[in-house]
Amino acid sequence: MLGKRKIRKYAFELLFGYEFNKEASPLDYYNIAFDNFVCEDDEEESVKKLFIGVCENIVAIDELISKYLSGWKIERLSKTTTTIMRISTYEMIFCDLAPAISINEAVEFAKEYAEDGAASFVNGVLNKIAKENK
């Protein structure tokens, strides 16, 4: 059993890679890239659902994130930070996941994978999204 954190990690890795391979459709990219991951069938379905869900809603997700970036443009953020916030925003808005859970996971991912200072930045932006989109 992967658990939610591992599912997010796989989706994060897929979404990050997809940023550099957008000539393929999300489903085609997923089918090629997912061969590198090892998990059970039900877990694979959860990873796929999260990855495809973010990809299908990327415009709405990015607009929402951009709305709460004070003095920043989403294009100027690192791909890592953007990907982390996209997953969390998708979970809060489209999956009805409790914001506290999603934000906490995003902050932990930012501490592990993003640049110094990203965790507090991610926390601030995602908290604004959560508060105004209840």
Side-chain angles (χ1 to χ4, degrees), residues 68-125:
Y68 299 99
L69 294 176
S70 300
W72 286 87
K73 292 193 184 292
I74 198 165
E75 300 83 23
R76 297 212 46 227
L77 300 178
S78 73
K79 299 287 187 208
T80 303
T81 300
T82 303
T83 301
I84 291 167
M85 289 197 297
R86 283 174 174 164
I87 291 170
S88 182
T89 302
Y90 174 78
E91 288 179 330
M92 289 189 292
I93 303 301
F94 295 94
C95 299
D96 205 29
L97 182 66
I101 295 169
S102 186
I103 293 169
N104 183 59
E105 285 292 309
V107 169
E108 291 303 314
F109 269 68
K111 287 177 183 176
E112 187 172 348
Y113 298 107
E115 61 279 351
D116 289 340
S120 59
F121 179 77
V122 165
N123 186 51
V125 173

Side-chain angles (χ1 to χ4, degrees), residues 53-64:
V54 172
C55 289
E56 288 178 345
N57 294 285
I58 199 90
V59 173
I61 292 167
D62 284 359
E63 285 175 359
L64 195 53

